[in-house]
Structure formats: C-alpha cells, structure tokens
Amino acid sequence: MTLPLKVLSLVAGLSLAFNSSATPVHSVEGNRYAIDQSKLLELSAEIKTELENNIKNIRKPGERAVALHQLMFGPDGWQIRYDFDANLSAQQAWQLRRGNCLSLALLYVASARYVGLKAQFQRVQTPAQWEQRSDYYLVPGHVNVAVSTHRQRIYIEFLGTFYDFEVDPSQGRRISDKQAFADYYNNIAMALMDQKKWPQARSTMQTAIELEPDSDMYWSNLGVLEKFSGNSQAAEKAYRTALKINKRNYSALTNLYVLLSEQQRKQEAKEISNKVQKYSRKNPFRLAKLAGKALVNEQYDVALSSIKKAIKLRPEHAEFHYLQARIYYRSGAATQGFDALQRAAKLAEGQDKQRYEQKVAALAPSF
C-alpha cells in the first residue's frame, strides 16, 4: 500500500536549451550564493524542538510521515509555501516559509530523518514543460521524496500548483544526497548566470559537476554559461562532453548547433541539423517563432500549421491564440481570427488580457 501526498510543485534541476538561463535566486542575509553542502540538511534547535514536540513521539512511521507533511504545509503548522525562484537550504526554507520543490524536499528529508524516518530524494520524470524567458527557454525538472517503512512506501509529492499534468510519484528514480546537492548547486549557478555573475556561476556549476560528473545536464548547462560569458571554445567543449555522456541530450545538441551556425561552420552544423529540427518540433515556443516568421513572409499555410502545433502542446498559452488570430486575419479568415482572439482574451492575464479584450470589443460589431 502506498500513500501519495499531493502538495506543491517546483523545479529540481534545470535543463536548459537554446541559449538558456534560469530564474533569480532568493538569498538569505550573509549567504548570497550557494552555502556549504554540509549545511543543506542542517536544522536549527528551534526546528528540532518543534519536531520533538509534534512528530517524534508518534509511534507508527506512516502516521509520523503524514503528520510531518501536515506540520510543514498545513494551516495549523509552518505553512510553507511554494516559490518557484526560491533555491534554499532546509533551514532557509523553514526560516523564510517558502521554497521550490528541491528546497521543500531538503526540508522534508532533514526533518523526516530527525524523527527517525527513512527518507530519500527522488528525481521524477515529467513531460517537458517549456518555459519562455526573454531570450531563452527553460525546461524545469522535478524531485519528490520517498519514505520507506517496514509495511509501505509513502511518496511525498511537491507537484500540483505549477504544472498542468499529473505524475505517478512512484515512478521516480531514487537519488543520493550528493546528487540532490548537485541539483541545488546547478540551480544556484543558473541563477547567478542570469545575474551575469560569471566567476561565481562558473565556480558553483563546477561544484555541481564535481558532485555528479556524469550528469549530461550539468555539462550542457556549463556550456550555456560559457557561451553567455563569451567563452565559445569552452562552451563547445562542454556541449560535446554532455553529448558523449548522453547523445540524446537535445538541449546540448541544439546549443551546439546554434554555436556552430554562428561560427559559420556550416558543414558541421548541417550534420546535426535534422536531429535539431526534430527536437524543435516538440518546443511550442520554437514553433510559435517559426509561425511568426512565416507570417512575416506571407506563408500563411506554414504559419497556421506551426501555430496549431504550438497550441496543441500549450493550449493554455494566450499569446499563441493571439498569434493564430493575426494569421487568420492576414490570410482573410476573419471569423476564425475573431474566434482565436476571443480565446486569447479568455486565457490572458494582466495587461495582455485588457489589450485583447479591447480588440474583441472593437471587432465584435462586425460579427
């Protein structure tokens, strides 16, 4: 018997593609960047006292695991909340009452072990969720926690509010503390890269690689870091190292293709172009970009085909429907364009929603 617990969601490792980066890191006073790995699972005396008073004396391990979950996230407990950008240690997550999925896992594992539970980190396979930033794409990863007792295995899940799909928490791959720590340093390095703090980012990324040298994801991310910092030679070496470890790392392959193309190494780029194009077809933002280019060139059939594929992958993304509306209008299909514009207005938020609704109101009398 297993007892999956649905809680929150966030990022574990960040797999990056197309000249990628990551989100800024929240920091604690006096600890602006990565902290020593020996402190990632450290708990204060205050936390330990609360665990002793509320959790430690519960006799049955399964009930103890559930009670810990309720203490962390329940309305009568610590009320820890999900924060996509918060790459924190266990202590910091408790102190700031927030964390991403890795931070939440660190806090749960540290607390669980203190109260006598056997808790381990898991990396969980999830469908690719491309997240667009200003000039790159980010593919979040995910971790959860498995608690083993003599009668059952309980999965502590931190997924639900960020993603729009379900996962089977039992399908996670157990990872060591060292591998979880490597994910933490990878996240911090990517955040530092986003802030253009190149020496700190490079040093932190090297720490992640030292902890898990056979991770193609980390090598690919190092390549992105080197490319952004202007070191193309080191970037190429990192991408190729990633591909030696895993020839199907399409993030590394795509970034290598971009690098070779920029350097006018046409023959080398051509040799991998088919694989890159196949991968790009799975990226809705890439498809939308192709649709936009086709629209500019008045290739309406190509534009519609591309944007429809993007919408199929990310139907909730309002900008895709707005682009579809523009394509329909330009091609003379005004009714379909108005329908697409209405969908965009319904899905949009903030200023985009107001802008789309104004367009709908202006066009409505014609339909």
Side-chain angles (χ1 to χ4, degrees), residues 49-347:
T49 297
E50 290 200 35
L51 292 172
E52 289 168 1
N53 292 339
N54 295 285
I55 308 297
K56 202 166 188 178
N57 293 327
I58 298 175
R59 188 175 63 84
K60 294 182 179 180
E63 293 179 2
R64 209 179 309 149
V66 174
L68 174 58
H69 166 268
Q70 293 172 340
L71 175 66
M72 284 180 59
F73 304 107
D76 298 324
W78 299 339
Q79 300 183 42
I80 306 292
R81 65 180 177 85
Y82 157 83
D83 186 339
F84 185 88
D85 296 334
N87 299 299
L88 305 170
S89 68
Q91 175 66 38
Q92 291 168 339
W94 179 85
Q95 180 181 344
L96 299 177
R97 295 297 197 265
R98 66 177 185 261
N100 62 23
C101 79
L102 180 57
S103 301
L104 300 178
L106 287 167
L107 179 56
Y108 190 94
V109 166
S111 300
R113 290 176 181 174
Y114 184 75
V115 298
L117 294 171
K118 184 180 179 181
Q120 293 178 283
F121 298 98
Q122 288 195 140
R123 284 185 185 143
V124 183
Q125 185 66 37
T126 61
Q129 290 280 288
W130 296 89
E131 295 300 320
Q132 188 176 31
R133 298 295 189 262
S134 59
D135 59 351
Y136 56 82
Y137 302 104
L138 177 151
V139 185
H142 181 60
V143 294
N144 66 13
V145 176
V147 175
S148 300
T149 74
H150 65 287
R151 289 186 176 180
Q152 64 182 166
R153 182 167 291 157
I154 302 172
Y155 298 98
I156 311 301
E157 182 55 75
F158 311 109
L159 187 65
T161 59
F162 180 69
Y163 295 103
D164 57 0
F165 52 80
E166 300 287 333
V167 300
D168 181 353
S170 66
Q171 296 304 306
R173 178 172 61 86
R174 224 62 54 82
I175 61 173
S176 66
D177 289 3
K178 185 171 70 171
Q179 289 171 307
F181 297 164
D183 278 347
Y184 167 84
Y185 287 111
N186 171 72
N187 286 4
I188 297 292
M190 295 298 95
L192 290 168
M193 180 184 74
D194 203 42
Q195 299 167 30
K196 296 182 173 55
K197 299 182 184 297
W198 309 120
Q200 299 98 319
R202 185 177 292 107
S203 174
T204 307
M205 195 70 243
Q206 289 289 355
T207 300
I209 291 174
E210 288 170 8
L211 287 168
E212 196 172 357
D214 293 329
S215 171
D216 54 296
M217 180 184 72
Y218 298 161
W219 281 104
S220 179
N221 289 355
L222 177 63
V224 173
L225 193 161
E226 296 290 7
K227 172 75 184 307
F228 272 20
S229 67
N231 194 342
S232 296
Q233 186 175 359
E236 180 178 350
K237 182 178 179 181
Y239 293 148
R240 292 191 182 280
T241 301
L243 291 167
K244 284 182 181 178
I245 297 170
N246 177 13
K247 64 181 180 181
R248 295 186 178 181
N249 185 322
Y250 293 109
S251 295
L253 190 70
T254 300
N255 285 328
L256 178 60
Y257 174 80
V258 170
L259 183 64
L260 295 174
S261 298
E262 289 176 350
Q263 295 178 346
Q264 299 298 309
R265 294 159 66 179
K266 297 180 180 179
Q267 184 57 39
E268 292 175 84
K270 184 178 179 180
E271 290 173 359
I272 61 175
S273 61
N274 289 337
K275 292 180 180 179
V276 170
Q277 289 175 12
K278 183 178 179 180
Y279 178 53
S280 297
R281 288 196 290 269
K282 299 178 181 179
N283 179 349
F285 296 102
R286 185 74 171 175
L287 288 165
K289 183 176 288 188
L290 292 174
K293 289 182 178 179
L295 174 61
V296 170
N297 294 325
E298 299 183 353
Q299 297 173 319
Y300 301 126
D301 290 343
V302 174
L304 277 174
S305 176
S306 295
I307 197 60
K308 285 180 179 178
K309 292 175 182 176
I311 289 172
K312 186 176 181 179
L313 291 167
R314 287 292 294 271
E316 79 287 355
H317 198 70
E319 290 183 15
F320 292 169
H321 294 277
Y322 179 63
L323 177 55
Q324 186 183 44
R326 291 173 54 206
I327 296 168
Y328 274 130
Y329 276 111
R330 290 281 298 277
S331 66
T335 301
Q336 293 95 320
F338 185 67
D339 291 342
L341 181 59
Q342 287 181 304
R343 289 192 294 272
K346 184 178 180 180
L347 292 166

